[in-house]
Structure formats: C-alpha cells, structure tokens
Amino acid sequence: KQEVTQIPAALSVPEGENLVLNCSFTDSAIYNLQWFRQDPGKGLTSLLLIQSSQREQTSGRLNASLDKSSGRSTLYIAASQPGDSATYLCAVRAGSSNTGKLIFGQGTTLQVKP
Amino acid sequence: SQTIHQWPATLVQPVGSPLSLECTVEGTSNPNLYWYRQAAGRGLQLLFYSVGIGQISSEVPQNLSASRPQDRQFILSSKKLLLSDSGFYLCAWIYHMNTEAFFGQGTRLTVV
C-alpha cells in the first residue's frame, strides 16, 4: 500500500531564505508526482507536476525534483516571501492503477516571516 | 480554459438531515472526477472517483454516495448525515493520467 510522508510538518523561516520541503513515498511504481499549495480554508492549487521519467520541474522560484528509485521528492523554494505562507502537499499517482487517483502526504505548513 | 465549480462553499446541517454537494467542470470532456475529504488534522482521503457517466467507484465504506448524471457533473450525497461526516470536501478532475489534477475551492461541511 502506497504511503506518502512529508517532513517537516511545519516550518517557520525569515523572509528571503531558500528552503526545501521533503516528500517520500513507499512504492516507487508511480505514474507521476504533483505538488500543491493550500491556503487556509481554500482548495488546492497545483504547483508542479513531475512525470515518473523526469528528474525535475521548475516554475518561477519553485523547483521540484524526483528520485523515483529512492522514493523521494523535494520542493525547493528560492528567496521565500510572506506570500509563500501556506500548506504544501505532495501527492503521487499510483502506476499500477488507471484510475488516476492521488495519494497525499499530510502536508508541510510553511510560515514566512517578514 | 478549464474551470471547476463546487457549491455551496459552506454548509451547516443537523445530524440526520440529507446532503447534496455538487461539482461541475467546464471546458473539457470525459474527465476523471474525484471526491476527497479533508478532516481536521488529517490528510486528504479519496472517497469516490468516476471515469465516466454513471460509473462510480467507492474507496472507503461510509455513509456517503456519489453520482455522475452528466459528463461534467459529480454529486456527493447522503440520506442521513452523521457527526463524523463533518469535514472539508474537495472535488477534483484530470483529463488524462499524464496531466495535472485540478481541485475546486471546497465545501466546508459542519454537522451539528
């Protein structure tokens, strides 16, 4: 059974710092991995999608890497800003299923202090 | 462009009352549709998914049901709500296994 873990559960950093959020999964047979952002009381906003054949994806100040063999992904946020404060979720799409369902980690709640 | 709508945004319902949450996708056809629940302090749990009209699969035994009467409409229902049904309900869609999943803004359900 696929399990997704995110460490740390919470993180507080001063503005301007570069930071790394970690995601690990137990079954390397994934189709792809997606990172989301969730603001309090809101839905999920897609940040980056990495296919199983890819090593990384970049969007602006965000860079996500994927090491499928070791079951790890990281989300790197450069030059953090207070507006980056949110909960970040990673989710994997199982490769053995054609349903497209995502299995989520518990999330990392990020606070960027001005 | 594709959009996904969920309503209502918030709902307070008494125990034993019925429930109907609606999700509609625009700008695409034949999407896979999903209902997730996010309970306080817990991750997102997949409740139902649908790969086509009238095709519903349940992930966990529960007090809820889902229906897909039209290609881009997904409905979450209950005949009698329980306190444990409280949570944040999110609808999502994908077009293909290789594409991103997109989520609605969610419905905050409080059963009192």
Side-chain angles (χ1 to χ4, degrees):
Chain A
K1 178 185 175 184
Q2 178 74 268
E3 292 183 358
V4 181
T5 303
Q6 290 185 248
I7 295 173
L11 184 63
S12 181
V13 300
E15 182 177 4
E17 271 203 10
N18 303 324
L19 56 99
V20 174
L21 307 181
N22 296 293
C23 172
S24 62
F25 45 95
T26 55
D27 186 348
S28 62
I30 64 169
Y31 212 91
N32 48 46
L33 183 146
Q34 193 168 354
W35 282 93
F36 296 88
R37 168 186 173 139
Q38 185 176 29
D39 293 294
K42 302 294 186 182
L44 277 63
T45 299
S46 178
L47 297 175
L48 290 163
L49 173 71
I50 310 179
Q51 303 297 343
S52 62
S53 59
Q54 297 175 318
R55 296 286 292 183
E56 64 180 299
Q57 282 284 349
T58 298
S59 176
R61 294 182 293 108
L62 305 179
N63 176 277
S65 68
L66 175 64
D67 184 343
K68 197 175 72 164
S69 61
S70 67
R72 296 178 187 274
S73 176
T74 62
L75 179 66
Y76 175 83
I77 303 176
S80 58
Q81 303 170 357
D84 295 329
S85 299
T87 296
Y88 291 81
L89 296 156
C90 75
V92 299
R93 185 166 292 149
S96 59
S97 168
N98 64 352
T99 64
K101 63 183 181 182
L102 292 168
I103 300 168
F104 283 84
Q106 296 279 344
T108 294
T109 298
L110 171 66
Q111 182 184 33
V112 180
K113 297 179 178 179
Chain B
S1 64
Q2 302 91 357
T3 56
I4 180 169
H5 301 281
Q6 264 189 263
W7 66 93
T10 60
L11 194 58
V12 179
Q13 291 285 96
V15 169
S17 63
L19 173 73
S20 180
L21 303 181
E22 190 160 343
C23 172
T24 301
V25 180
E26 296 179 357
T28 188
S29 60
N30 198 30
N32 282 13
L33 296 170
Y34 307 85
W35 278 111
Y36 287 85
R37 177 169 60 201
Q38 188 176 37
R42 301 179 63 180
L44 277 86
Q45 180 185 38
L46 179 63
L47 302 176
F48 300 95
Y49 65 90
S50 172
V51 298
I53 296 174
Q55 301 179 58
I56 308 295
S57 296
S58 174
E59 284 291 295
V60 293
Q62 59 198 298
N63 182 44
L64 303 169
S65 62
S67 62
R68 185 171 177 174
Q70 300 180 44
D71 181 44
R72 291 170 287 177
Q73 185 183 30
F74 205 23
I75 297 172
L76 184 68
S77 305
S78 174
K79 293 182 179 179
K80 291 184 178 182
L81 285 168
L82 306 172
L83 287 173
S84 57
D85 292 323
S86 294
F88 192 49
Y89 289 83
L90 290 156
C91 180
W93 74 275
I94 65 168
Y95 181 68
H96 185 272
M97 289 284 286
N98 279 335
T99 59
E100 291 173 279
F102 294 99
F103 282 75
Q105 285 301 300
T107 295
R108 172 73 60 190
L109 171 66
T110 303
V111 182
V112 296

